[in-house]
Amino acid sequence: MTYNNWLASITNVLESYHEPAVLLDEHYNVVASNQHYTHRFKPLPRDGYAKCYELSHGYQQPCDMEGESCPMKAALESGSTSSVLHIHNTAQGKEHMRIETTPITDEQERRYFIEVMKPVSEVSAEPIANKMIGRSPAFNKLVDLIQRVGKTETSVLLTGPSGSGKELAALALHDVSQRTRKPFVTVECSGLTDTLFESEMFGHIKGAFTGATSNRKGLVESARGGTLFLDEVGDIPLHLQVKLLRLIETRTFRPVGESQSYEADFRLICATHKNLPEMVAANEFREDLYHRISTFPIRLPSLAERKEDLPLLVKSILLRIDSGSPLRLDNEAIALLEKQPFTGNIRELKNILERAVVLSDRPEINVATLQQALALSLYVPENGKNTPQGLLALAQARCSLVEVEQAYIRQLLAHYTDKSEVAEIAGCSLRTLYRKLKEGE
């Protein structure tokens, strides 16, 4: 078989894939592609080959020389299919792709590679509402784990600080799974009292207890065929944990007042911001239950661990706040945000941006408005020590006294309409207040 005939047959193989696919030579040249690739990326140049890393990333050298793992290199070293998660430049913008690269040889024993690119639709590398957003290495590692375990029936325990997006991660796991067309049911464990636990989880029949005027389906039954997400599972009281353990072990449940047991059918995902191993050691969480729910633990990174994603998250959150005409932050405001510790993670970032949108009178949020939004975070901790979080944030941002003063005055004006009252609270004359307002313009 001639090389052209061999290449034609390989091209036919590429067309059999339902995702973008290419044939690479040992020098990273894309020598053939299918129609899915041409549609999602762009046609190959007619006057010669193009490098895969140029087409996919805009790099001038291979991925491993840019700090990423190279799937072709991994396939060459192992002699078998390699799989990595990358972000590729496509006609739709930047997209997460699962890259599967398989080594092959032609009749002259020359090495080639078939590379199939599977788009990851459950997350986004571009600003978009209601999805996990990110491009940072920490975020991509999280997406890779979600993609790998999401396709299985394995129980997953999501851990990490509050506000890091555990419910969105649980939704992504559900969307990846074979159960995606079935219900995703969230159980807020922190709100389940002793009297409500069995009724909420397992349901009840009419007359089971005072107030049970009709049959009621429980959350376990509502999740039939789908995913049961136990949010803040660490908040379930110790004496109720045995009932959850029995449900997981037997995969059966019995509505309150019912004598018959029913089969449960759900995929279990749990989440907590608490340290469950420490709770187990302190006899505050059952060890057998912990091992049941933590088959595959995934820790979500804090916002501080993925600061590279901050500008992207800002655009996404502003889009969610107002999709019609979203505001934007100027460069100084972005620089100020990057200096914040974000102990409340993405939830805290969202609160700050919502305040800034309310306070802004222009389409671009400037640093003064953002400082005002940060100053609204003032609070006094329960221990009585005067360490306001908003002032701490301004100090960490290296704001001058003038900037802090302006932020404080704006905060007062946001709460009080009478400027005489504002001047009295600030401890200055009305004339001085007007002068300072003019200085801040």
Tab-separated table of all heavy atoms in Angstrom, residues 60-90:
chain	number	residue	atom	x	y	z
A	60	GLN	N	4.424	28.190	20.595
A	60	GLN	CA	5.514	28.111	19.622
A	60	GLN	C	6.390	26.885	19.851
A	60	GLN	O	7.358	26.657	19.133
A	60	GLN	CB	6.376	29.381	19.703
A	60	GLN	CG	5.612	30.660	19.369
A	60	GLN	CD	5.011	30.626	17.969
A	60	GLN	OE1	5.717	30.322	16.994
A	60	GLN	NE2	3.720	30.942	17.865
A	61	GLN	N	6.056	26.095	20.848
A	61	GLN	CA	6.805	24.888	21.169
A	61	GLN	C	5.854	23.869	21.800
A	61	GLN	O	4.735	24.228	22.192
A	61	GLN	CB	7.969	25.208	22.111
A	61	GLN	CG	7.558	25.929	23.383
A	61	GLN	CD	8.735	26.413	24.191
A	61	GLN	OE1	9.890	26.154	23.866
A	61	GLN	NE2	8.459	27.128	25.283
A	62	PRO	N	6.268	22.595	21.895
A	62	PRO	CA	5.369	21.557	22.418
A	62	PRO	C	4.849	21.856	23.821
A	62	PRO	O	5.471	22.604	24.593
A	62	PRO	CB	6.256	20.301	22.413
A	62	PRO	CG	7.233	20.554	21.314
A	62	PRO	CD	7.525	22.030	21.365
A	63	CYS	N	3.719	21.223	24.160
A	63	CYS	CA	3.021	21.501	25.422
A	63	CYS	C	3.900	21.294	26.643
A	63	CYS	O	3.854	22.074	27.604
A	63	CYS	CB	1.783	20.611	25.541
A	63	CYS	SG	0.579	20.837	24.226
A	64	ASP	N	4.710	20.214	26.632
A	64	ASP	CA	5.514	19.917	27.820
A	64	ASP	C	6.583	20.970	28.057
A	64	ASP	O	7.087	21.097	29.175
A	64	ASP	CB	6.143	18.524	27.727
A	64	ASP	CG	6.984	18.339	26.478
A	64	ASP	OD1	6.571	18.830	25.411
A	64	ASP	OD2	8.042	17.702	26.560
A	65	MET	N	6.924	21.745	27.018
A	65	MET	CA	7.887	22.834	27.185
A	65	MET	C	7.189	24.114	27.644
A	65	MET	O	7.844	25.114	27.925
A	65	MET	CB	8.640	23.069	25.880
A	65	MET	CG	9.432	21.853	25.413
A	65	MET	SD	10.336	22.135	23.868
A	65	MET	CE	11.615	23.261	24.428
A	66	GLU	N	5.846	24.078	27.700
A	66	GLU	CA	5.060	25.214	28.177
A	66	GLU	C	4.460	24.932	29.556
A	66	GLU	O	3.565	25.633	30.006
A	66	GLU	CB	3.930	25.512	27.179
A	66	GLU	CG	4.404	26.031	25.834
A	66	GLU	CD	4.821	27.493	25.881
A	66	GLU	OE1	4.569	28.146	26.919
A	66	GLU	OE2	5.407	27.981	24.889
A	67	GLY	N	4.954	23.858	30.196
A	67	GLY	CA	4.483	23.537	31.538
A	67	GLY	C	3.277	22.632	31.595
A	67	GLY	O	2.712	22.414	32.670
A	68	GLU	N	2.832	22.095	30.443
A	68	GLU	CA	1.700	21.174	30.416
A	68	GLU	C	2.173	19.776	30.062
A	68	GLU	O	3.270	19.593	29.543
A	68	GLU	CB	0.652	21.634	29.393
A	68	GLU	CG	-0.006	22.953	29.723
A	68	GLU	CD	-1.224	23.205	28.858
A	68	GLU	OE1	-2.176	22.419	28.959
A	68	GLU	OE2	-1.217	24.187	28.098
A	69	SER	N	1.316	18.796	30.327
A	69	SER	CA	1.647	17.428	29.939
A	69	SER	C	1.330	17.245	28.461
A	69	SER	O	0.298	17.707	27.980
A	69	SER	CB	0.849	16.431	30.780
A	69	SER	OG	-0.539	16.707	30.690
A	70	CYS	N	2.220	16.582	27.735
A	70	CYS	CA	2.035	16.358	26.301
A	70	CYS	C	1.487	14.947	26.097
A	70	CYS	O	2.174	13.959	26.403
A	70	CYS	CB	3.353	16.530	25.553
A	70	CYS	SG	3.243	16.102	23.808
A	71	PRO	N	0.267	14.799	25.580
A	71	PRO	CA	-0.315	13.463	25.422
A	71	PRO	C	0.443	12.604	24.406
A	71	PRO	O	0.529	11.385	24.562
A	71	PRO	CB	-1.748	13.749	24.960
A	71	PRO	CG	-1.699	15.118	24.376
A	71	PRO	CD	-0.671	15.860	25.162
A	72	MET	N	1.010	13.254	23.376
A	72	MET	CA	1.748	12.500	22.369
A	72	MET	C	3.032	11.913	22.965
A	72	MET	O	3.378	10.747	22.723
A	72	MET	CB	2.084	13.382	21.174
A	72	MET	CG	2.534	12.608	19.943
A	72	MET	SD	3.024	13.677	18.583
A	72	MET	CE	4.769	13.840	18.900
A	73	LYS	N	3.699	12.700	23.765
A	73	LYS	CA	4.921	12.232	24.418
A	73	LYS	C	4.614	11.088	25.380
A	73	LYS	O	5.344	10.089	25.444
A	73	LYS	CB	5.595	13.385	25.164
A	73	LYS	CG	6.934	13.022	25.779
A	73	LYS	CD	7.583	14.243	26.422
A	73	LYS	CE	8.928	13.877	27.045
A	73	LYS	NZ	9.559	15.064	27.702
A	74	ALA	N	3.510	11.212	26.123
A	74	ALA	CA	3.115	10.153	27.060
A	74	ALA	C	2.766	8.865	26.320
A	74	ALA	O	3.138	7.770	26.755
A	74	ALA	CB	1.925	10.618	27.896
A	75	ALA	N	2.084	8.988	25.163
A	75	ALA	CA	1.734	7.808	24.369
A	75	ALA	C	2.968	7.160	23.773
A	75	ALA	O	3.064	5.925	23.676
A	75	ALA	CB	0.751	8.205	23.269
A	76	LEU	N	3.942	7.978	23.377
A	76	LEU	CA	5.185	7.460	22.815
A	76	LEU	C	5.974	6.683	23.857
A	76	LEU	O	6.509	5.602	23.588
A	76	LEU	CB	6.027	8.623	22.266
A	76	LEU	CG	7.374	8.267	21.635
A	76	LEU	CD1	7.171	7.374	20.412
A	76	LEU	CD2	8.130	9.536	21.237
A	77	GLU	N	6.018	7.204	25.083
A	77	GLU	CA	6.782	6.555	26.150
A	77	GLU	C	6.110	5.273	26.640
A	77	GLU	O	6.788	4.292	26.945
A	77	GLU	CB	6.962	7.534	27.311
A	77	GLU	CG	7.883	8.717	26.983
A	77	GLU	CD	7.938	9.733	28.105
A	77	GLU	OE1	7.127	9.618	29.054
A	77	GLU	OE2	8.786	10.647	28.036
A	78	SER	N	4.791	5.273	26.700
A	78	SER	CA	4.081	4.103	27.229
A	78	SER	C	3.752	3.071	26.157
A	78	SER	O	3.551	1.897	26.458
A	78	SER	CB	2.782	4.545	27.905
A	78	SER	OG	1.876	5.079	26.946
A	79	GLY	N	3.690	3.513	24.907
A	79	GLY	CA	3.320	2.614	23.819
A	79	GLY	C	1.839	2.295	23.788
A	79	GLY	O	1.396	1.397	23.064
A	80	SER	N	1.042	3.035	24.564
A	80	SER	CA	-0.397	2.810	24.612
A	80	SER	C	-1.115	4.158	24.677
A	80	SER	O	-0.485	5.214	24.744
A	80	SER	CB	-0.776	1.950	25.815
A	80	SER	OG	-0.364	2.578	27.023
A	81	THR	N	-2.437	4.106	24.691
A	81	THR	CA	-3.230	5.342	24.685
A	81	THR	C	-3.012	6.138	25.968
A	81	THR	O	-3.025	5.584	27.068
A	81	THR	CB	-4.728	5.009	24.547
A	81	THR	OG1	-4.938	4.304	23.321
A	81	THR	CG2	-5.569	6.275	24.556
A	82	SER	N	-2.791	7.424	25.804
A	82	SER	CA	-2.664	8.321	26.960
A	82	SER	C	-3.868	9.257	26.977
A	82	SER	O	-4.480	9.531	25.944
A	82	SER	CB	-1.380	9.144	26.886
A	82	SER	OG	-1.465	10.117	25.852
A	83	SER	N	-4.209	9.746	28.160
A	83	SER	CA	-5.366	10.622	28.308
A	83	SER	C	-5.016	11.780	29.232
A	83	SER	O	-4.563	11.565	30.359
A	83	SER	CB	-6.556	9.839	28.874
A	83	SER	OG	-7.663	10.674	29.086
A	84	VAL	N	-5.216	13.009	28.756
A	84	VAL	CA	-4.953	14.201	29.562
A	84	VAL	C	-6.072	15.213	29.325
A	84	VAL	O	-6.826	15.119	28.354
A	84	VAL	CB	-3.589	14.852	29.227
A	84	VAL	CG1	-2.447	13.898	29.465
A	84	VAL	CG2	-3.570	15.365	27.788
A	85	LEU	N	-6.168	16.187	30.226
A	85	LEU	CA	-7.126	17.273	30.081
A	85	LEU	C	-6.373	18.532	29.687
A	85	LEU	O	-5.424	18.933	30.359
A	85	LEU	CB	-7.880	17.506	31.390
A	85	LEU	CG	-8.986	18.549	31.304
A	85	LEU	CD1	-10.261	17.915	30.749
A	85	LEU	CD2	-9.277	19.168	32.667
A	86	HIS	N	-6.782	19.161	28.592
A	86	HIS	CA	-6.170	20.397	28.123
A	86	HIS	C	-7.252	21.439	27.871
A	86	HIS	O	-8.438	21.117	27.768
A	86	HIS	CB	-5.407	20.163	26.812
A	86	HIS	CG	-4.007	19.693	27.018
A	86	HIS	ND1	-3.105	19.579	25.986
A	86	HIS	CD2	-3.334	19.312	28.124
A	86	HIS	CE1	-1.947	19.129	26.449
A	86	HIS	NE2	-2.066	18.964	27.746
A	87	ILE	N	-6.823	22.694	27.735
A	87	ILE	CA	-7.698	23.763	27.263
A	87	ILE	C	-7.246	24.136	25.860
A	87	ILE	O	-6.085	24.498	25.649
A	87	ILE	CB	-7.644	24.987	28.192
A	87	ILE	CG1	-8.189	24.632	29.572
A	87	ILE	CG2	-8.449	26.147	27.597
A	87	ILE	CD1	-8.115	25.753	30.576
A	88	HIS	N	-8.140	24.016	24.880
A	88	HIS	CA	-7.813	24.285	23.488
A	88	HIS	C	-8.510	25.552	22.992
A	88	HIS	O	-9.607	25.891	23.447
A	88	HIS	CB	-8.237	23.107	22.604
A	88	HIS	CG	-7.256	21.979	22.613
A	88	HIS	ND1	-7.335	20.913	21.753
A	88	HIS	CD2	-6.165	21.748	23.382
A	88	HIS	CE1	-6.334	20.076	21.984
A	88	HIS	NE2	-5.618	20.564	22.975
A	89	ASN	N	-7.863	26.214	22.035
A	89	ASN	CA	-8.482	27.342	21.356
A	89	ASN	C	-9.379	26.807	20.247
A	89	ASN	O	-8.920	26.084	19.364
A	89	ASN	CB	-7.416	28.259	20.752
A	89	ASN	CG	-6.508	28.857	21.808
A	89	ASN	OD1	-6.948	29.165	22.904
A	89	ASN	ND2	-5.232	29.019	21.480
A	90	THR	N	-10.669	27.128	20.300
A	90	THR	CA	-11.609	26.658	19.289
A	90	THR	C	-12.363	27.851	18.716
A	90	THR	O	-12.197	28.995	19.161
A	90	THR	CB	-12.617	25.655	19.879
A	90	THR	OG1	-13.555	26.360	20.705
A	90	THR	CG2	-11.919	24.593	20.712
